[in-house]
Every structure is written in C-alpha cells, then in structure tokens.
Amino acid sequence: MPDDPRFLTLADVAEVLNTSSAQVYALVRRGELPAIKIGGRGQWRVERSQLEDFIQRMYAETRSFVAEHPFVDSEAAPVDGESSTP
C-alpha cells in the first residue's frame, strides 16, 4: 500500500483540514469539494489532487476576502504622522 494513497476517506480529509468528518461531508454534498462514491454502500472518497486544489481555492478566496475587508484595529496606536482623532 502506498504511503500517499490517491484517494482519501472523509475522515482522512477531516484530519488533513483539522475539522470534523461532518464538515467535510457538507463540503462534498454542497459540491465545494469534489468526491466520488464507491462500492455498494456508497462510501465517499476524495482524490488527493482534488483536496490540494480545494485548499488552493480556499487560500485564493481568503486573499480576496482580506483584500476587500481590511482589518482595522481600533485600539492600535496611530502610525507616525497620523492623528488618533478625526
């Protein structure tokens, strides 16, 4: 058995993402994380490359969110030359 299997169970994906299997199942069912159903019992499997693609998409979405919603620390000290009052 290879050290890096091509397909991961939802529990494996949950471990990689440090989240719950229920959260991973929701991602799969919403179509956010591509997966396949195999076997008579319909067990879900996520291809490792799809998981990596998903992670990269989440990084891109996060970068966009941060750019559109800059963090403003109301208790931060003013930067040189700036007043703390309007």
Side-chain angles (χ1 to χ4, degrees):
M1 188 158 178
D3 289 337
D4 267 350
R6 179 176 176 183
F7 290 96
L8 305 169
T9 65
L10 297 188
D12 294 336
V13 173
E15 187 173 330
V16 169
L17 296 177
N18 196 25
T19 190
S20 68
S21 293
Q23 179 63 38
V24 174
Y25 178 75
L27 291 169
V28 167
R29 293 292 287 144
R30 286 193 305 258
E32 295 177 42
L33 178 59
I36 59 172
K37 282 182 83 170
I38 61 168
R41 294 174 48 194
Q43 297 177 359
W44 290 99
R45 294 294 183 268
V46 176
E47 194 167 7
R48 185 175 294 279
S49 63
Q50 292 292 335
L51 175 58
E52 292 303 322
D53 289 348
F54 171 78
I55 292 168
Q56 291 307 311
R57 282 193 312 276
M58 293 301 99
Y59 273 120
E61 285 183 22
T62 301
R63 279 191 298 275
S64 293
F65 176 84
V66 168
E68 293 171 11
H69 304 89
F71 178 74
V72 178
D73 188 353
S74 62
E75 296 193 19
V79 178
D80 289 339
E82 290 185 4
S83 171
S84 62
T85 58

